[in-house]
Amino acid sequence: MIPEIRLLAAKTSRDNDNLWLPLLDHLKDTAGVIEYLSSRWLPGSVYDEMEISRKEGIRLAKLLALLHDIGKGIPAFQTRILEQLPDIKCFQEMAGIETNLNKTQMDIKHAHAGAVLLRAMGYPESVAAIVGAHHGSPEPNNMDDDAFDELTLERKKYGDKNSIWRKMQEELLKWALEEAGYSEKGEIPDISEAAQMIFCGLLIMADWIASNSYYFPLLSVTDDTEPYDNNRSRDAMRYLNLPDGCLMGSAWKQEDFFEERFHFTANRVQKEMYGVVARMEKPGLIILEAPMGEGKTEAALAAAEILMNRFDLKGIAFFLPSQATTNAMFTRISSWLTGQSDINQVSIQLYHSNAELNEDFRKLEYGDVCIEDDDQDALIVHSFFRGKKTRMLSDIVVGTIDQLLMAALMQKHVMLRHLGLAGKVAVIDECHSFDPYMNTYLESILQWLGIYHIPVILLSATLPGDKRLALMQAYAGKKKCKNALIKETTSYPLISWSDHERVQLIPIPYDKKDK
């Protein structure tokens, strides 16, 4: 690799012009973080959802991290950042790297620049799209790559093909391929749009961690010749100490499982729910309709535990229609988790706008209460998942339904919501209470969850037949919902379920007096 690349800057300090981080170091930092996340933090089921092997997924994730800021290796970005790094600017000029652009030539975003460079170099569109969106928004439709072609006057933003800039860009791309374990671009898999969402979310998460100067300190401009510390990522992730996820064992196979969990014997509805999830061949959608007081919540939690164990899932996302019901459910789920003797340490989040006003959550968040008597609490509110856009990434999420519906919106950093849902069981309570506007977005997000093969449990007092059919079709697809009884049945209580191969109905005999 040519030595000039070491002089490219990625980050600087707002308060100290003697601190910076070389581009090469930031790419290595991000690669180290994403390698940890993709191999240890991300559940294995997510790779199955994306239809890519775990080994190939880790390799692709590392390549994306090594390429994500390639757009900073252009004159436009370096001119802008060197305004705060006069010493590095001097070093670049001495090395023959020209960065004297005017203000009008510095307006290009480095994420889009990276995507343009990757397309120009023949990389798959999926890789270029992820790099172009790694700051949370896809590239604008009105951005024309031809406007930045090297044959136009705009070439100064990227570098002429015979300049030192183009040599550095080509060297970086070649280095990234080799570091990730690829011998040529043709080996890079072309992944689906759904997989692009997950990988982009993972890249954003890794980039945010690697950009935190507490975990990855900036360097002095006088230390620019020091070799890269290969322990930076390992030490940072050790300090960050992300939980390994909510790991559920096979206790559900024991005869007294339900009574052990909830301290009462399962009724007919709960037993039928237990049986459905125990024999599902693939993750799918389950709709449970039953009267109030039949223990639908306990049935859903028991089902979620079984699904997590059977399909290698590491979390639950439970959504309800109001803050009041969400607060109550947070307490119930916390008790359910801490009542399990073999539970590992997991992160939990109460996800609505007034979560800080909930006393149980506040005490847990600030460590005012011990959940268990041993040295390590079973439930924690991890610092990284306290951010507005990172809460869905927590192992256990209890939130209002709007937090799920926003995953169907075209909003910035929506990829993080999708990443947070992947590898979990999604439970939606009281879905009979949603209005037509909410149902439109519910069907949209069910479509995404179906594509990801994320198991979903819908709980309802009752549902009209057409709404039941619409929800099934949104998740499984219209071609797989040909069972006419889905809409026409009047059986009650009722379990409707799909495992991506078939849709079935299980009427449950109700032996209680009709009120």
Side-chain angles (χ1 to χ4, degrees):
M1 185 179 293
I2 58 177
E4 288 87 350
I5 291 177
R6 183 66 186 173
L7 296 174
L8 296 178
K11 297 188 178 297
T12 184
S13 170
R14 294 179 179 178
D15 307 317
N16 189 341
D17 59 9
N18 288 317
L19 294 177
W20 77 312
L21 192 65
L23 175 59
L24 209 57
D25 285 18
H26 176 60
L27 297 179
K28 291 178 180 178
D29 289 345
T30 311
V33 173
I34 209 167
E35 197 166 11
Y36 176 94
L37 295 176
S38 56
S39 60
R40 294 189 54 182
W41 179 79
L42 198 66
S45 59
V46 178
Y47 295 104
D48 297 332
E49 295 163 4
M50 296 187 293
E51 299 180 346
I52 187 172
S53 70
R54 190 184 192 99
K55 181 179 179 181
E56 185 59 46
I58 295 171
R59 186 162 72 145
L60 178 59
K62 186 175 181 180
L63 176 66
L64 291 169
L66 293 169
L67 292 174
H68 81 283
D69 271 353
I70 186 71
K72 290 184 176 180
I74 62 172
F77 181 85
Q78 292 299 309
T79 299
R80 187 164 62 247
I81 195 172
L82 292 183
E83 290 179 346
Q84 302 174 62
L85 294 170
D87 290 344
I88 302 301
K89 179 178 175 65
C90 181
F91 294 152
Q92 285 194 8
E93 290 174 348
M94 291 172 61
I97 303 174
E98 181 187 357
T99 57
N100 294 320
L101 301 184
N102 58 48
K103 293 290 184 182
T104 60
Q105 295 174 317
M106 293 161 50
D107 59 352
I108 186 171
K109 304 296 183 182
H110 73 267
H112 177 61
V116 173
L117 284 172
L118 290 171
R119 292 189 186 101
M121 299 293 185
Y123 279 71
E125 174 58 30
S126 56
V127 173
I130 293 171
V131 168
H134 82 268
H135 277 285
S137 300
E139 300 165 81
N141 292 328
N142 60 355
M143 297 291 277
D144 184 4
D145 290 359
D146 292 337
F148 305 106
D149 188 86
E150 64 184 10
L151 298 178
T152 71
L153 293 177
E154 299 291 334
R155 65 185 180 275
K156 291 183 179 180
K157 293 181 179 180
Y158 294 90
D160 200 283
K161 67 178 181 179
N162 296 319
S163 71
I164 186 65
W165 288 103
R166 184 50 56 92
K167 291 178 183 177
M168 289 190 293
Q169 293 158 5
E170 291 174 347
E171 284 276 330
L172 279 171
L173 292 170
K174 180 182 177 182
W175 164 80
L177 273 179
E178 294 175 352
E179 286 289 306
Y182 294 99
S183 57
E184 59 180 18
K185 297 188 290 287
E187 295 180 0
I188 304 172
D190 198 5
I191 57 177
S192 66
E193 289 185 3
Q196 289 174 42
M197 290 286 283
I198 300 298
F199 275 110
C200 190
L202 194 67
L203 178 59
I204 292 170
M205 182 179 177
D207 190 24
W208 284 2
I209 294 173
S211 298
N212 188 320
S213 58
Y214 177 79
Y215 299 112
F216 292 90
L218 300 178
L219 308 177
S220 170
V221 294
T222 59
D223 297 334
D224 63 306
T225 58
E226 292 291 321
Y228 178 77
D229 181 1
N230 291 313
N231 295 324
R232 269 170 70 92
S233 298
R234 185 195 65 186
D235 294 342
M237 297 312 294
R238 183 184 296 148
Y239 294 147
L240 186 58
N241 193 26
L242 292 176
D244 292 328
C246 187
L247 307 176
M248 291 294 184
S250 56
W252 62 273
K253 297 179 180 179
Q254 301 172 8
E255 290 186 7
D256 60 347
F257 160 68
F258 198 92
E259 191 168 349
E260 182 71 22
R261 286 287 182 261
F262 304 106
H263 311 296
F264 60 84
T265 304
N267 61 26
R268 188 68 179 269
V269 171
Q270 293 158 345
K271 288 178 180 177
E272 290 288 356
M273 187 72 162
Y274 182 104
V276 167
V277 295
R279 63 177 180 268
M280 289 181 75
E281 296 178 6
K282 295 182 179 180
L285 171 65
I286 306 167
I287 303 176
L288 172 59
E289 300 171 57
M292 291 178 60
E294 287 299 302
K296 293 191 291 294
T297 298
E298 288 79 8
L301 292 177
E305 181 171 344
I306 297 170
L307 291 167
M308 289 167 67
N309 175 254
R310 292 191 61 216
F311 298 116
D312 190 22
L313 305 166
K314 293 186 178 181
I316 301 172
F318 206 117
F319 301 99
L320 301 101
S322 69
Q323 292 186 10
T325 53
T326 302
N327 288 337
M329 187 59 64
F330 178 81
T331 301
R332 292 176 71 178
I333 289 180
S334 298
S335 299
W336 169 68
L337 287 168
T338 54
Q340 301 183 31
S341 58
D342 58 345
I343 194 73
N344 58 307
Q345 188 180 62
V346 298
S347 60
I348 189 169
Q349 273 292 333
L350 179 60
Y351 202 177
H352 61 68
S353 58
N354 289 315
E356 294 294 334
L357 301 180
N358 181 280
E359 185 175 353
D360 290 339
F361 178 70
R362 190 171 64 248
K363 287 180 178 179
L364 187 60
E365 185 174 26
Y366 293 104
D368 295 333
V369 62
C370 288
I371 299 299
E372 289 188 338
D373 295 331
D374 58 13
D375 294 332
Q376 190 179 62
D377 293 341
L379 297 182
I380 62 170
V381 178
H382 196 280
S383 59
F384 184 76
F385 303 132
R386 291 180 183 178
K388 181 180 179 182
K389 295 184 178 182
T390 58
R391 292 184 185 180
M392 193 73 82
L393 301 173
S394 190
D395 302 326
I396 306 296
V397 178
V398 185
T400 46
I401 187 63
D402 57 302
Q403 303 301 336
L404 172 66
L405 300 183
M406 280 194 280
L409 298 179
M410 293 177 61
Q411 64 169 191
K412 194 171 184 180
H413 295 114
V414 70
M415 309 84 165
L416 290 173
R417 292 185 186 269
H418 286 238
L419 177 64
L421 291 167
K424 287 187 175 71
V425 179
V427 184
I428 304 170
D429 200 2
E430 300 186 38
C431 62
H432 58 274
S433 64
F434 303 158
D435 61 34
Y437 181 83
M438 295 170 67
N439 281 324
T440 300
Y441 286 100
L442 177 60
E443 291 174 20
S444 179
I445 192 57
L446 283 176
Q447 211 171 356
W448 277 105
L449 297 177
I451 292 171
Y452 294 134
H453 308 306
I454 295 171
V456 179
I457 301 172
L458 294 176
L459 305 177
S460 178
T462 184
L463 280 178
D466 55 350
K467 187 173 180 181
R468 184 187 307 119
L469 177 62
L471 295 173
M472 276 290 181
Q473 288 180 337
Y475 184 89
K478 292 186 178 181
K479 292 182 179 180
K480 295 180 181 179
C481 288
K482 296 181 179 179
N483 190 337
L485 291 177
I486 297 174
K487 180 177 180 180
E488 297 171 3
T489 184
T490 57
S491 299
Y492 185 77
L494 178 70
I495 298 178
S496 315
W497 62 282
S498 160
D499 62 0
H500 284 274
E501 298 296 333
R502 52 190 171 169
V503 177
Q504 295 192 38
L505 302 176
I506 302 180
I508 304 172
Y510 193 61
D511 53 7
K512 295 185 179 181
K513 185 177 180 180
D514 189 356
K515 297 182 180 179

